[in-house]
Amino acid sequence: MHWNTGYQEEALPLLARFVAQFKGAEAVVVPSSSCVAMMRDHYPKMAEQLNDAALKHDVEELLPKVFEFSEFLTKRLGLEDVGAYYPHRVTYHASCHGLRNLGLGDGPLRLLKAVRGIDLVELQGLEQCCGFGGTFAVKNAEVSSAMLAEKTTAILNTKAEACTACDNSCLMHIQGALHRQRTGVQTVHLAEILASDEGTR
Amino acid sequence: MSGTALDPRTAPVFPMAARAAMGDTQLRKNVRHATDVIQAKRARVVGEMPDWQELRESGRRIRQHTMEHLDVYLEQFEENCTRAGGVVHWARDAAEARRIIVDLVKATGSDEVIKIKSMTTEEIQLNKALEAAGIHPFETDLAELIIQLGEDQPSHIVVPALHKNRQQIREIFQRKMNLPDLGEKPQDLADAARMFLREKFLRVKTGVSGANFLIAETGGVCVVESEGNGRMCLTLPETLITVAGIDKVVPRFQDLEVLLQLLPRSATGERMNPYNSIWTGVNAADGPKAFHIVLMDNARTEILADEEGRQTLNCIRCGACQNACPVYRQTGGHAYGSVYAGPIGAILTPQLMEMEHAQSLPYASSLCGACYEVCPVKINIPEVLIHLRNKVVEQNGIMNAEALAMRAMGIIFQSERRFRAAQRMGRLAESPLVRKDGQGQGWIGWLPGLLGGWTQVRDLQSMPEETFRDWWEKRGKNGR
Amino acid sequence: MADNSARSVVLERIRKATGNASSLEAASAEWDELRRGYRRDASLEHDELLELLVERLRDYDAQVLRVGPSGVADAVKAMLQARGVRRLVVPAGLPVEVLPEGFEFIVDAGFHPAELDAFDGVVTLATVAIAETGTVVLQNTPGQGRRAATLVPDYHLCVLYAADVVETVPEAMDRLQATATLATTFVSGPSATADIEMTRIKGVHGPRFLDVVLVGGGEAN
């Protein structure tokens, strides 16, 4: 958030902290494509800026072990069917960072297609931005709302019970409007769907 | 829409301008339709190209290479153009460019000029300067003609009048061309424009143009167009005056093989646009007897000097970024308060203003990256936006609400203790605003101050009773 | 140079911005190494790319006739008759063999634009054509003439030889390299605009009608 809004100075200490916390982990799995994109796209440059050779080395070692949740399953573990059961009508929104920065491709969709009982319906304009954009949602609230309106219209047109994505920022944003309009449509993170089985309500 | 020129120095900040623009249903409908159509066309012709990504990469490298050697390529262009009979002028800024052009027109004795659409001439507000000197400029692009007769401003790089529909255009033509019985079909309107302009093409002695590419190796100039008015203005007048930013130069004739593939497919979704004209200096038996070209800086060297901003100069003015941008889609071009709108406008305009104006433009983006995906010369627009945001933040200093809040949050995020404390405080602070729904979930429907922008159309879930950390700690190492 | 001071200032700003004064040698050396991984050669057989060109031209609503070398004048006659044109301007150097009897062909003597406007059309050769994009490239040479003559008249008939047809834009640029400083026009269909509600309208300025006689290469139609 800091880095993307232009507060680079404030963002730098957070890099060091992240590295300190997660250094030595076998894998760091992040249920947010925008966070992973931030790290992959900007951490190396930030470490350069800090002129800290040790930190730079740590970042280089750590980054290959950081995975967005869906890519951890599909790319690192080579999984598609995780044995989930989710008997609901669901539509998938492709978060911008996951789509364009991380190149998740059809990974999330393949994971969803393998879910038993799911009624997966395609979202028109699934690649179009939901309008969150971090502080953009507040600094340019009007435009953000207009973008969100197109997204929720498309979701409602699918008649899905729930909209899913790999990014909680998008989901929080979309949920904000779906709830305000009392549509009864939920948002649910991909992980929640994949964690569901017959025992889940 | 008013006829006052879009000027970043006086334009309202983007959130305000966007709000006004979004109240125009007609505009929004037209912008959505136009961008949908061009995007679909672009996707189709790009999909035909197995080597599209290679073309983009070469396009990027050619442009980047050019900027790194801009001095020698400009000198080479000047030498070759002069040798072929062209006269090369240099302008430090917009004012100087205007002065040179007005003087050149006056020297021909003309009080009229025919113009081809040129973003550069809009950037320097040339028409105003010509009028002030008693010279009437006739815009000859259909869209620019519509804009000029309608006393309006362009809203898109390639399709400047996309905010107008046929009825509005017909109404303008009826009035200004004195054609009370004018039909409504697009073909009728185009025919009217053809007749109206043909008379001028065959008569007016001085032409003014921009340029798409200046070829250093040969001293040639390339103009890319669709309607034929470019060819008219470039060949029929006795004197031709071209103005071009110094970033328009390309090293060699061969480089056009890349750019003439990237540009038409990206700009209008065509395999090739109807007409490209390439001419070198002056030819006594073909075209104008006198050719002048004004090479203009106008802050481009500032952008060149900024390592992270420099890639902005790669731009070949295709407009693909505008068509792909979900923000532009909602607001159209005028909201950006500059002749350069959309994603490229958001990075180019503030830099051309040397960061003294248009500071709200780098924030007119959700950083979705759709622009970068379609940019034929691979300008990483999101990266430049973030870079410019940092510049704006540094300019604004610490003594403002947002900066203080950001700093406070940064401090909180750096410490687990503070973070937990902030969570507890947050739960406390929000509680008067929370209403529970039928399933026990809390929702916030109104937030004060800056955050109120969120709750205009969105609810916010209240903080959970138990945070992830609480849950994790309770479960212990082995628990479920 | 009229404006020495602006010139030096701008060049100096550039050198300061890039951190050095470059040289043509250094720039050339780097240019030679620039990555070009895109297609630079034809992938189709010559007959296939002629067919592709015809298809693309017809997409633009151009009429196209394919003939053997001995059938050119007849083909030209057929097309001119179909268009109902009679009095045409032709560039100096256009071979008389391509022109049929029964029409008025006047060699371009530097007519004023208004005079050019009075002709029914123009007939020329071409330098090269690009099949992939349906483009015909004209240059100021004998048989093709100056730009105004292919711009002002409302109808243009182009006699194109199969050997001058290439598949890709890079191949065309190769062919044009030797004459790169001649006035050059790439024509891809009649002029068009999409400025009115994104509806593509043909023929705003420039010839509204374009026909091509394609000579040689494989079976003639």
Side-chain angles (χ1 to χ4, degrees), chain B residues 69 194 198 257 270 297, chain C residues 13 22 38 152 200 204:
Chain B
H69 302 276
R194 183 188 172 90
R198 199 165 186 83
E257 74 191 15
E270 298 174 295
D297 179 359
Chain C
R13 286 176 184 171
S22 180
Y38 50 89
V152 178
R200 188 183 175 88
V204 190

Side-chain angles (χ1 to χ4, degrees), chain C:
Chain C
M1 248 133 302
D3 228 343
N4 246 322
S5 48
R7 181 181 189 277
S8 343
V9 166
V10 174
L11 286 171
E12 190 45 46
R13 286 176 184 171
I14 294 173
R15 289 173 186 135
K16 201 152 149 249
T18 56
N20 66 294
S22 180
S23 74
L24 213 43
E25 292 74 50
S28 275
E30 243 186 64
W31 186 94
D32 286 336
E33 299 299 309
L34 286 177
R35 179 195 170 96
R36 292 175 195 270
Y38 50 89
R39 289 169 303 149
R40 301 203 69 244
D41 300 307
S43 53
L44 297 175
E45 294 300 318
H46 197 69
D47 279 341
E48 289 177 296
L49 65 90
L50 289 176
E51 277 308 311
L52 180 58
L53 175 68
V54 172
E55 192 188 303
R56 291 278 139 87
L57 289 170
R58 288 186 176 144
D59 252 350
Y60 295 143
D61 288 345
Q63 302 300 315
V64 186
L65 274 182
R66 294 192 62 179
V67 292
S70 54
V72 183
D74 285 336
V76 171
K77 179 173 179 176
M79 288 190 128
L80 297 182
Q81 278 174 340
R83 291 291 188 183
V85 294
R86 228 196 39 80
R87 186 172 167 271
L88 301 108
V89 63
V90 297
L94 184 71
V96 293
E97 310 86 76
V98 316
L99 298 177
E101 298 287 326
F103 301 89
E104 208 183 331
F105 297 110
I106 302 177
V107 175
D108 184 9
F111 297 120
H112 290 308
E115 292 170 301
L116 285 173
D117 202 27
F119 286 100
D120 295 338
V122 59
V123 183
T124 71
L125 303 178
T127 301
V128 64
I130 308 170
E132 191 174 74
T133 57
T135 303
V136 174
V137 184
L138 308 166
Q139 294 197 298
N140 187 341
T141 58
Q144 295 172 50
R146 62 174 171 138
R147 292 172 291 165
T150 47
L151 169 66
V152 178
D154 211 10
Y155 169 69
H156 178 194
L157 173 62
C158 187
V159 177
L160 178 64
Y161 289 87
D164 293 328
V165 181
V166 298
E167 183 182 336
T168 66
V169 174
E171 291 171 277
M173 299 310 285
D174 261 346
R175 298 244 182 145
L176 294 168
Q177 181 74 45
T179 48
T181 54
L182 292 180
T184 303
T185 311
F186 284 50
V187 178
S188 310
S191 69
T193 178
D195 281 326
I196 299 176
E197 292 184 356
M198 302 311 298
T199 327
R200 188 183 175 88
I201 310 162
K202 298 213 182 70
V204 190
H205 312 287
R208 285 183 288 187
F209 308 99
L210 173 67
D211 286 344
V212 176
V213 172
L214 178 55
V215 186
E219 294 303 309
N221 284 359

